[in-house]
Amino acid sequence: SRSPIVAIDGPAGAGKSTVTRAFARRLGLIYLDTGAMYRAVTWWVQHLGADPALPEAVAAALAGLDLQISAAAEGAQQVCINGHDVTEAIRSPEVTAQVSAVAAHGCVRDALTAQQQAMGSRGGLVAEGRDIGTAVFPDADLKVFLTATVAERARRRAQDLEARGFAVPSQPVLEAEIAERDHRDATRAVAPLRMADDAVELVTDGMAIEAVIQALVDLFRDRV
Ligand code: C5P
């Protein structure tokens, strides 16, 4: 039998990364940000100049891709493609704009899901994404669906972009971008964004980050 697995899913900008990373550190679990893996493939597709909408082009790009995920300082995660560190580059607005299109391809999902399952084969891990509780680790010991209203998530996204030194679009533009990514992620044919039947829903509007982390720790202590 393996060590526990925790699945944290939810839409874009719900604050999953921040709270999941802190939760992982507190419980001594490995932190796996699966969105970073979809972003890395997207960065690679763009780097090659391939069309993210074409399944054949994306499959060809995937064939030449060696994606390495490793633990970094402070519980962070380092992402390397064919030996190059792309940890920062995959956060660009260009990658964000096309990642849902790349993530919709079955070949991409098959490859990344298999890699994620291999990383979690011994357990002792908390993975965050869109399909962790439904497709990657359906036998997870705890599943949480972390969400917030579009307005709240757009405000958080603005703060995040500002902190990273990127231009900050207006609130309506950010809300429209987030709603579009939600829609694409929730309506794709393969492993769409969806709350697992046995997940606990946590709506985080108005909650401080620390309160969300504490709620996750309490759920883990109660149920795992
Ligand atoms: O979490 P993050 O916003 O970095 O995820 C980027 C994108 O990667 C999502 O909008 C989604 O299209 C894709 N993704 C996915 N399945 C996951 C994690 C992310 O399809 N498990």
Side-chain angles (χ1 to χ4, degrees), residues 9 12-13 16-17 33-36 38-39 91 99-101 103 109 116 128-132 136 181 185 188 191:
D9 289 302
K16 293 192 301 294
S17 298
D33 171 3
T34 64
Y38 288 93
R39 287 173 177 276
R91 302 291 156 192
V99 61
S100 289
R109 304 210 70 81
Q116 290 154 17
E128 57 131 318
R130 302 293 187 288
D131 64 339
I132 309 303
V136 181
R181 195 140 65 98
D185 289 344
R188 68 174 172 234

Side-chain angles (χ1 to χ4, degrees), residues 102-113:
V102 171
H105 297 295
C107 62
V108 174
R109 304 210 70 81
D110 288 349
L112 296 190
T113 299

Side-chain angles (χ1 to χ4, degrees), residues 165-188:
F166 289 110
V168 182
S170 69
Q171 189 73 13
V173 167
L174 281 175
E175 289 186 15
E177 282 175 6
I178 286 175
E180 191 199 323
R181 195 140 65 98
D182 286 355
H183 180 75
R184 282 172 180 264
D185 289 344
T187 57
R188 68 174 172 234

Side-chain angles (χ1 to χ4, degrees), residues 38-166:
Y38 288 93
R39 287 173 177 276
V41 174
T42 304
W43 182 89
W44 178 243
V45 165
Q46 292 177 339
H47 177 76
L48 295 178
D51 184 344
L54 284 183
E56 305 78 25
V58 172
L62 211 51
L65 173 74
D66 178 22
L67 176 61
Q68 295 118 8
I69 306 296
S70 51
E74 311 268 301
Q77 171 181 282
Q78 187 186 44
V79 184
C80 290
I81 289 180
N82 301 343
H84 297 287
D85 187 337
V86 295
T87 309
E88 295 297 323
I90 61 172
R91 302 291 156 192
S92 76
E94 292 75 21
V95 168
T96 302
Q98 292 193 316
V99 61
S100 289
V102 171
H105 297 295
C107 62
V108 174
R109 304 210 70 81
D110 288 349
L112 296 190
T113 299
Q115 190 169 352
Q116 290 154 17
Q117 288 171 339
M119 292 174 76
S121 60
R122 292 200 207 101
L125 159 142
V126 50
E128 57 131 318
R130 302 293 187 288
D131 64 339
I132 309 303
T134 53
V136 181
F137 298 120
D139 65 339
D141 303 86
L142 172 65
K143 301 180 185 180
V144 179
F145 197 78
L146 207 65
T147 187
T149 56
V150 170
E152 173 81 13
R153 292 187 280 131
R155 277 192 293 276
R156 292 178 189 167
R157 177 94 183 122
Q159 288 172 356
D160 186 56
L161 283 170
E162 194 172 358
R164 292 178 194 276
F166 289 110

